[in-house]
Amino acid sequence: MENFDETFIKDYCDDNFAEYLSDILVRLKKSNPEYNLLLKNQSNLMNKYDRLADVLENHCLYSLSKNEVKALKKYLLLKDDSREIEEKEIFIQGMRESYFLFKKLDLLK
């Protein structure tokens, strides 16, 4: 079970939880082509529509064109899809952590 060789309990402390989550997402990006494509499509929309990036990242207030609104809607749908994949991966990693902890406590044989 090579997926159990790196765990939060073993390799991270409470102060590094954000780094731990970031590491999970980096591995996900490398291992999941669907997730990677979603991220690329989000990035492409942000690059194509400068005002969209300003609205989403810098909280600027603009009146958006119809095309910008369509792009915003598409971006948010892509973001929802990528977030769902992230949440599933984080959940699975939580199960791995539980397994490691239960083994460490001799609750599993």
Side-chain angles (χ1 to χ4, degrees):
M1 297 184 141
E2 73 273 351
N3 293 329
F4 291 60
D5 59 354
E6 194 176 285
T7 68
F8 179 75
I9 294 167
K10 199 164 114 180
D11 297 324
Y12 296 85
C13 66
D14 290 336
D15 296 336
N16 293 327
F17 187 68
E19 180 183 343
Y20 174 72
L21 291 178
S22 177
D23 288 349
I24 291 172
L25 298 182
V26 167
R27 283 194 306 269
L28 180 61
K29 187 176 179 182
K30 291 178 182 177
S31 67
N32 186 320
E34 177 189 4
Y35 177 71
N36 197 28
L37 181 61
L38 288 168
L39 295 182
K40 284 180 183 178
N41 289 337
Q42 290 171 43
S43 180
N44 289 342
L45 284 171
M46 294 288 260
N47 291 333
K48 185 175 179 181
Y49 297 95
D50 295 337
R51 290 171 59 155
L52 182 62
D54 277 343
V55 168
L56 292 169
E57 293 177 349
N58 302 323
H59 309 289
C60 295
L61 299 176
Y62 291 117
S63 293
L64 300 176
S65 70
K66 281 186 177 185
N67 285 339
E68 289 169 329
V69 170
K70 287 179 185 179
L72 175 61
K73 180 181 176 184
K74 185 174 181 177
Y75 176 88
L76 293 174
L77 290 172
L78 292 167
K79 189 71 171 167
D80 284 346
D81 291 345
S82 63
R83 188 68 180 149
E84 183 178 344
I85 292 171
E86 292 170 358
E87 289 170 352
K88 286 178 184 177
E89 186 64 25
I90 291 168
F91 177 81
I92 290 167
Q93 185 63 35
M95 295 292 101
R96 290 179 184 129
E97 298 297 337
S98 296
Y99 178 85
F100 173 78
L101 180 61
F102 294 155
K103 287 288 275 187
K104 189 170 184 87
L105 295 171
D106 289 328
L107 296 174
L108 295 175
K109 302 293 177 190

